[in-house]
Amino acid sequence: MDSPRVLISGGAGFVGSHLVDRFVAAGYAVDVVDNLITGHRENLQAHLASGAVRLFEVPAEAFEPPTLSYRHVLHLASPASPVDFGPRAVEILQANSQGTLNLLEIARKSGARFLFASTSEVYGDPEVHPQTEDYRGNVDPLGPRGPYDEGKRFGEAATMAYHRNFGLDVRIVRIFNTYGPRMRLDDGRVVPNFLRSLLEHRPLTVYGDGRQTRSFCYVSDLVEGLFRYATLDRPRWRVINLGNPREITILELAEIIQRVTGRQVGIEFQPLPPQDPRRRQPDIRRARTLLNWEPRVPLEEGLRRTWEWALALNQGEGP
Ligand code: UDP
């Protein structure tokens, strides 16, 4: 019998490629749609060589499927680093609007389940803490994060419209800060920035006073949650948060990462980017109940693994 087939947009990216690994391990054939503006073919190298994965190098909105036999369609394609929210604003808006509509239509025609990778950014600079799924957020459409935040909010609305109007079996995941191997070290987010500084023995750049908080989830934990939710029969909720609820300040992150790597490089304070959210922490009660899921990798352990990967990459040992 043929393997079940799954379509993953953004499958050459950081989170996407780990999710591809998970589906391949579970016996699926995987079609990846990725225009490679932030993804990398190397992230899929072994699967491309073995034939488990086919890569279609186009944006999600331009993808014309070679088959309509997908069991699952998962839409992860979108630049996701705040440094991209300005220069890549139009690509972000397209991927999350026309890209989402195109993949929803492919899922509908395939009779597939659909998963939309949304973000904690739909909560904006939250006034509710920790963030529960029924919180509607505090987003400025005109602000520097508007293209990403509103793009994802459009994607969620489109996903629910297909659920209501066509009975499509959909799931929306609001992904909180995630880190791990295969992040681009030049992507501008805090963990890759810190790793790069550590590799180069330069001080860590802390924006603002460093008292803003985030909650960091190791990529294997996130991917396990995504896989379970995507493949779950009859989910009770159509939207869930996935993330690690351990909340820390950026200053604490700077201390921990120096301790874990054994490199005391110090801190250099830089201006806080406008509209940088003050606090962020997921409420994961839904994910716990629905998926029997819990983040397993403690921050120190995840940072150690990511550091080892970055060191190997820096020494030219490949991805
Ligand atoms: N940040 C920092 N130094 C850096 C990069 C980011 O202090 O070199 C801060 C940033 O201002 C934010 C937090 O770290 O408060 C997380 O930033 P990131 O870009 O990783 O993701 P965000 O959660 O803002 O989307």
Side-chain angles (χ1 to χ4, degrees), residues 82 121 145 177 188-191 193-194 205-207 212 214 216 250 272-273 276-277 280:
E121 278 285 322
R145 291 177 176 246
N177 294 67
R189 285 186 273 193
V190 66
V191 171
N193 271 6
F194 282 5
T205 52
V206 169
Y207 301 162
Q212 70 272 33
R214 296 291 187 272
F216 295 93
I250 298 304
L272 188 69
D276 196 277
R280 189 182 287 156

Side-chain angles (χ1 to χ4, degrees), residues 80-83 85 119-121 145 148 176-178 183 187-194 197 204-208 210 212-216 250-251 253 268 270-273 275-278 280:
S81 169
V83 298
F85 294 172
T119 170
S120 57
E121 278 285 322
R145 291 177 176 246
Y148 188 70
F176 284 65
N177 294 67
T178 304
M183 289 191 99
D187 96 347
R189 285 186 273 193
V190 66
V191 171
N193 271 6
F194 282 5
S197 296
L204 307 182
T205 52
V206 169
Y207 301 162
Q212 70 272 33
T213 71
R214 296 291 187 272
S215 308
F216 295 93
I250 298 304
L251 271 179
L253 176 69
E268 179 187 301
Q270 292 189 3
L272 188 69
Q275 300 193 5
D276 196 277
R278 284 301 305 166
R280 189 182 287 156

Side-chain angles (χ1 to χ4, degrees), residues 28-40:
Y28 284 81
V30 185
D31 283 355
V32 167
V33 183
D34 201 306
N35 61 1
L36 302 180
I37 63 172
T38 57
H40 283 292

Side-chain angles (χ1 to χ4, degrees), residues 122-137:
V122 300
Y123 301 124
D125 192 6
E127 298 139 316
V128 165
H129 195 83
Q131 291 78 57
T132 49
E133 290 88 348
D134 51 15
Y135 174 50
R136 294 180 193 174

Side-chain angles (χ1 to χ4, degrees), residues 140-196:
D140 176 6
L142 305 181
R145 291 177 176 246
Y148 188 70
D149 300 9
E150 296 297 348
K152 290 294 183 188
R153 288 163 74 98
F154 178 96
E156 291 196 7
T159 301
M160 287 311 293
Y162 266 70
H163 176 58
R164 294 198 186 100
N165 296 6
F166 304 112
L168 192 68
D169 184 351
V170 302
R171 299 105 207 271
I172 296 166
V173 181
R174 295 184 179 145
I175 299 173
F176 284 65
N177 294 67
T178 304
Y179 70 99
R182 299 187 194 155
M183 289 191 99
R184 286 180 300 128
L185 289 181
D186 61 355
D187 96 347
R189 285 186 273 193
V190 66
V191 171
N193 271 6
F194 282 5
L195 290 173
R196 213 159 69 148

